[in-house]
């Protein structure tokens, strides 16, 4: 057991020495026990009331699926002209781009293991990746200085035409790992491969006939929020090219999404249900030109039982010519995902694993606090009251608890917002926007709604409820705490352990703490394995991936697997010392500067 983390995660998250500020006269008149704790409320800013009326059906509010993308004029040559206004919208303020948190001092020490018959030579920088010049420019505009470990392998693998399975920690840059090489390869060929579409300069929706969408790339993601997030990345990388991205997801208006498809679609991102809805209308969408299909967060999708839809989408249907490349990305790699891979991927596929499947990052300081069920609400309030303002995600297991916590924190003057499956899509989009832009830096959510979400500078994750073993168990825990500590940033995860309820997860949680060099609290000490079992901890956690790996030949020394994973994301020691709480939560881009680099 390493004692790298000397400061408890809970302490690390709590700032000191904030100036108190004055209560309003109404608040001052309240009896002592009802007076709000004003210690740091000044910094948190005002709570923003949830405006449900603004997001009802006929509000003029824009859908995410309708946001601006580069529109290709049929007369352009090979590369479209720049549009500074759109460029600003897609990539953000140029003075704030770049330096996104990759730790260049340790990046070389991160090990990537590859399996499969082909050997991939990793690239060291984007300039060596054989990218289309427009793609290289877009990567630079996005502020990506160097590829992340998974990108170093994925770019050449996809460039060379292999199917790929990528297993990497959340926040390791998987989206660009597939978007950049796929779109780059298509850029030079778009005019030849892509379906005809109307000229956007002259197209009149409702007057001119829509085309059938025949995407070259289809990306499937389990949640609406994640689909939108991938769409936003795709909008960046498609800048100044003919490739036109679209996104479809349940809850959004069918008509608007269909209208967008009717203007032509080369890159389609969608949730499985809505994709299949559109596929059942072949005049609107067909996959006959599809060249690439990407399944993102495959483990989550299979856990949610989207298998019938996935099979339908992956079958492609009526291929005109050519073959389809399959990509499967996931943070963990359970059996259902392995089966899906076996059915669809070429035997020559490349399997890439960064660190260890299913493991949590070491740069996330994890604290587990024993709190009896009935005392949890007060514990949360106490904890929040001691906190410096920062982006926080609070996970609860039921929609009802999410609602209750939203009420509780709102009443206590925290600028919070919440999402869960019963909210309509406009409400969900509005909440995510409020959280991202910093209007509501406290997000309360159920686990599934937050899967794959990447928001910068989430410093703290609170598991108000630990996941139950029936609903995701320790893998769900991994996903949740992975919302912090994204791309080389340090994060803190605090979990409330209710002895009456959480006993089933105690053993595997304790092992996770040990594997990631965290302190094991006293009440979990009985679950610490001993002797050989302790020695074998890392080995066992690896076996899930190795099982039926066939002619597995890890690029590195398999015996080092346990040591290699994640080492480059910062050690536990840095996690403790380097912790610095961003003291504002303005727009994500602008906080970049205030985050300690690494
Ligand atoms: P994952 O899918 O592995 O969880 P994402 O693809 O969501 O990770 O990426 C996490 C964040 O890192 C995103 O904000 C993305 O823009 C950023 N990112 C990805 N690649 C790089 C890179 N090479 N350099 C800097 N930032 C990057
Ligand atoms: Mg992802």
């Amino acid at each position: 057991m390493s004692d790298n983390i000397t400061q408890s995660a809970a302490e690390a998250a709590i700032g000191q020495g904030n100036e108190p500020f004055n209560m309003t006269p109404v608040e001052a008149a309240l009896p002592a026990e009802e007076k709000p704790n004003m210690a740091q409320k000044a910094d948190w800013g005002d709570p923003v009331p949830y405006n449900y009326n603004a997001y009802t059906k006929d509000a003029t509010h824009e859908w995410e699926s309708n946001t601006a993308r580069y529109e290709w004029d049929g007369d352009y040559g090979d590369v479209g002209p720049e549009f500074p206004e759109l460029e600003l919208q897609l990539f953000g303020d140029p003075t704030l781009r770049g330096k996104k948190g990759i730790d260049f001092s340790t990046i070389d020490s991160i090990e990537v293991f590859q399996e499969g018959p082909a050997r991939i030579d990793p690239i060291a920088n984007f300039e060596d990746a054989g990218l289309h010049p427009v793609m290289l420019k877009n990567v630079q505009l996005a502020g990506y200085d160097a590829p992340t470990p998974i990108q170093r392998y994925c770019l050449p693998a996809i460039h060379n035409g292999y199917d790929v399975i990528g297993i990497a920690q959340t926040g390791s840059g998987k989206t660009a790992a597939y978007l950049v090489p796929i779109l780059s390869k298509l850029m030079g060929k778009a005019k030849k491969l892509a379906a005809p579409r109307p000229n956007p300069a002259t197209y009149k929706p409702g007057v001119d006939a829509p085309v059938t969408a025949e995407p070259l790339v289809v990306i499937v993601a389990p949640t609406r929020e994640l689909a939108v997030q991938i769409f936003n990345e795709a909008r960046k990388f498609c800048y100044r090219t003919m490739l036109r991205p679209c996104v479809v997801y349940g809850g959004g208006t069918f008509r608007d999404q269909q209208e967008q498809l009717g203007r032509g679609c080369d890159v389609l991102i969608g949730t499985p249900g809505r994709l299949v809805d559109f596929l059942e209308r072949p005049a609107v969408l067909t996959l006959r030109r599809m060249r690439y299909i990407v399944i993102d967060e495959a483990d989550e999708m299979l856990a949610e039982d989207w298998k019938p839809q996935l099979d339908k989408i992956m079958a492609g249907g009526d291929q005109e010519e050519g073959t389809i490349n399959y990509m499967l990305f996931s943070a963990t790699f359970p059996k259902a995902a392995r089966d899906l891979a076996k059915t669809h991927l070429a035997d020559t596929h490349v399997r890439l694993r960064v660190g260890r499947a299913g493991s949590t990052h070491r740069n996330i300081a994890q604290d587990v606090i024993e709190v009896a069920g009935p005392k949890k609400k007060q514990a949360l309030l106490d904890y929040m009251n001691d906190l410096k303002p920062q982006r926080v995600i609070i996970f609860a297991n039921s929609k009802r608890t999410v609602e209750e916590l939203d009420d509780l924190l709102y009443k206590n003057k925290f600028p919070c917002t919440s999402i869960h499956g019963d909210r309509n899509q406009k409400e969900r989009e509005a909440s995510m926007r409020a959280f991202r832009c910093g209007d509501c830096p406290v997000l309360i959510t159920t686990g599934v709604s937050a899967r794959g979400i990447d928001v910068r500078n989430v410093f703290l994750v609170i598991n108000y409820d630990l996941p139950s073993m029936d609903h995701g168990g320790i893998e769900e825990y991994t996903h949740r705490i992975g919302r912090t500590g994204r791309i080389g940033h340090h994060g803190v995860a605090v979990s409330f352990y209710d002895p009456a309820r959480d006993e089933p997860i105690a053993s595997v949680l304790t092992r996770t703490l040990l594997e990631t060099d965290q302190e094991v609290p006293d009440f979990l000490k009985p679950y610490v394995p001993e002797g050989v079992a302790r020695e074998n901890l890392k080995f066992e956690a690896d076996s899930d991936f190795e099982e039926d790996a066939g002619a597995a030949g890890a690029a590195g020394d398999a015996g080092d697997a346990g040591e290699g994973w994640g080492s480059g994301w910062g050690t536990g020691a840095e996690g403790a010392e380097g912790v610095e709480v961003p003291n504002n939560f303005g727009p994500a881009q602008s906080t970049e500067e205030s985050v300690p680099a690494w």
Side-chain angles (χ1 to χ4, degrees):
M1 173 75 214
S2 142
D3 54 5
N4 276 341
I5 305 253
T6 47
Q7 187 185 16
S8 90
E11 283 166 34
I14 293 171
Q16 314 96 12
N18 280 279
E19 297 299 317
F21 92 116
N22 297 330
M23 294 182 205
T24 63
V26 176
E27 286 162 343
L30 291 169
E33 65 280 10
E34 284 176 37
K35 277 197 175 75
N37 179 330
M38 307 309 282
Q40 13 244 250
K41 292 292 164 57
D43 297 340
W44 280 98
D46 292 328
V48 181
Y50 204 95
N51 186 353
Y52 289 94
N53 292 334
Y55 303 111
T56 50
K57 268 206 178 100
D58 41 29
T60 50
H61 165 76
E62 272 274 307
W63 290 95
E64 301 277 2
S65 55
N66 287 338
T67 44
R69 68 214 77 180
Y70 196 86
E71 300 289 356
W72 183 261
D73 183 318
D75 295 335
Y76 293 159
D78 285 332
V79 178
E82 297 175 7
F83 286 106
E85 221 167 275
L86 178 64
E87 191 168 305
L88 193 66
Q89 212 186 90
L90 295 176
F91 299 101
D93 182 344
T95 59
L96 299 173
R97 287 175 208 154
K99 295 276 169 289
K100 297 266 164 121
I102 304 285
D103 185 346
F104 289 97
S105 64
T106 52
I107 198 156
D108 286 329
S109 65
I110 296 176
E111 286 179 71
V112 174
F113 300 92
Q114 49 170 321
E115 293 174 358
R119 288 292 96 192
I120 302 300
D121 281 332
I123 50 151
N125 48 59
F126 286 112
E127 287 76 14
D128 298 342
L131 296 177
H132 190 281
V134 174
M135 178 54 86
L136 188 58
K137 187 84 202 303
N138 288 344
V139 166
Q140 285 159 357
L141 281 174
Y144 295 4
D145 291 339
T148 66
I150 185 89
Q151 291 166 0
R152 287 180 165 193
Y153 284 81
C154 253
L155 264 62
I158 295 175
H159 185 81
N160 290 319
Y162 291 109
D163 286 357
V164 170
I165 298 178
I167 313 290
Q169 302 164 357
T170 40
S172 52
K174 293 192 283 290
T175 321
Y178 60 79
L179 277 182
V180 168
I182 290 176
L183 299 179
S184 171
K185 279 196 88 167
L186 291 174
M187 279 176 187
K189 299 188 257 178
K191 280 196 171 157
K192 198 171 115 232
L193 294 180
R197 81 270 330 261
N199 186 332
T202 55
Y203 181 73
K204 291 192 194 61
V207 178
D208 296 336
V211 295
T212 302
E214 302 176 60
L216 302 171
V217 186
V218 173
I219 299 157
V220 194
T223 65
R224 302 151 184 197
E225 285 78 10
L226 185 57
V228 167
Q229 187 176 296
I230 298 168
F231 171 61
N232 287 335
E233 292 289 299
R235 289 195 300 140
K236 291 182 195 170
F237 295 125
C238 289
Y239 180 57
R240 297 180 67 196
T241 78
M242 183 180 169
L243 299 170
R244 188 171 191 277
C246 286
V247 62
V248 299
Y249 47 84
T253 58
F254 203 86
R255 211 197 54 208
D256 281 20
Q257 293 176 3
Q258 179 167 340
E259 212 265 306
Q260 286 292 348
L261 292 174
R263 296 175 185 222
C265 168
D266 307 296
V267 182
L268 180 58
I269 298 119
T271 52
R274 183 57 63 96
L275 275 172
V276 167
D277 285 350
F278 276 116
L279 281 174
E280 281 162 3
R281 295 166 169 76
V284 179
L285 171 67
T286 95
L287 300 184
R288 63 174 170 250
R289 285 181 200 253
M290 182 166 78
R291 290 297 175 101
Y292 293 92
I293 177 155
V294 181
I295 309 292
D296 202 344
E297 304 281 349
D299 50 350
E300 170 61 24
M301 207 115 50
L302 291 158
E304 288 287 297
D305 214 13
W306 287 112
K307 182 128 187 354
Q309 284 82 353
L310 281 185
D311 281 338
K312 185 153 191 213
I313 298 163
M314 287 179 99
D318 309 337
Q319 282 300 299
E320 262 179 349
E321 57 178 300
T323 50
I324 304 176
N325 270 124
Y326 291 92
M327 318 282 153
L328 201 142
F329 288 85
S330 212
T332 59
F333 199 44
K335 179 157 190 319
R338 294 200 295 269
D339 289 346
L340 190 75
K342 234 184 237 159
T343 318
H344 295 283
L345 273 70
D347 293 340
T348 54
H349 75 253
V350 176
R351 282 215 243 180
L352 302 171
R353 176 167 56 104
V354 177
R356 186 147 35 92
S359 284
T360 45
H361 315 234
R362 283 188 197 192
N363 65 339
I364 300 170
Q366 300 160 61
D367 213 8
V368 184
I369 305 172
E370 192 172 21
V371 188
K375 300 214 165 125
K376 277 196 198 175
K377 286 209 171 106
Q378 191 55 47
L380 179 68
L381 268 187
D382 292 348
Y383 192 80
M384 293 291 294
N385 276 325
D386 281 341
L387 218 56
K388 258 185 152 183
Q390 53 193 288
R391 275 206 186 75
V392 183
I393 303 183
I394 300 171
F395 286 101
N397 288 357
S398 74
K399 295 166 192 169
R400 211 190 73 199
T401 312
V402 168
E403 298 275 356
E404 285 174 6
L405 296 183
D406 196 349
D407 270 5
L408 176 76
L409 293 181
Y410 184 75
K411 283 198 186 110
N412 282 273
K413 300 203 175 300
F414 288 97
C416 54
T417 184
S418 61
I419 48 175
H420 59 63
D422 281 354
R423 291 276 164 78
N424 75 39
Q425 186 56 25
K426 283 207 173 172
E427 291 164 358
R428 288 166 62 149
E429 287 182 7
S431 290
M432 277 314 293
R433 252 197 308 272
F435 180 58
R436 262 180 221 283
C437 75
D439 282 351
C440 296
V442 180
L443 175 71
I444 307 148
T445 177
T446 52
V448 169
S449 303
R451 181 57 57 89
I453 292 299
D454 172 58
V455 176
R456 280 184 199 294
N457 302 334
V458 176
F459 181 75
L460 174 65
V461 163
I462 299 176
N463 280 312
Y464 179 82
D465 294 321
L466 274 165
S468 80
M469 290 305 274
D470 305 336
H471 290 96
I474 202 70
E475 286 186 0
E476 172 67 22
Y477 175 85
T478 305
H479 275 297
R480 287 183 183 182
I481 74 168
R483 298 307 99 210
T484 176
R486 310 285 284 172
I487 294 265
H489 288 156
H490 298 298
V492 172
V494 174
S495 305
F496 289 171
Y497 178 92
D498 175 359
R501 225 208 64 196
D502 295 324
E503 209 267 326
I505 203 172
S507 165
V508 61
L509 179 65
T510 306
R511 291 154 57 111
T512 299
L513 293 177
L514 289 170
E515 284 166 27
T516 47
D517 292 338
Q518 308 289 316
E519 280 308 337
V520 175
D522 284 345
F523 60 91
L524 289 178
K525 291 256 158 73
Y527 301 95
V528 172
E530 280 167 11
V532 181
R534 176 82 183 82
E535 301 274 295
N536 286 343
L537 255 187
K538 293 183 172 164
F539 174 76
E540 278 175 36
D542 262 349
S543 59
D544 179 51
F545 189 86
E546 308 300 346
E547 185 192 326
D548 71 30
D557 173 4
D560 284 337
E563 293 311 316
W565 73 268
S567 53
W569 299 101
T571 62
E574 285 165 24
E577 286 157 23
V579 160
E580 217 176 272
V581 187
N583 57 8
N584 71 63
F585 37 77
Q589 289 274 14
S590 69
T591 52
E592 218 79 281
E593 306 281 281
S594 66
V595 172
W598 320 311

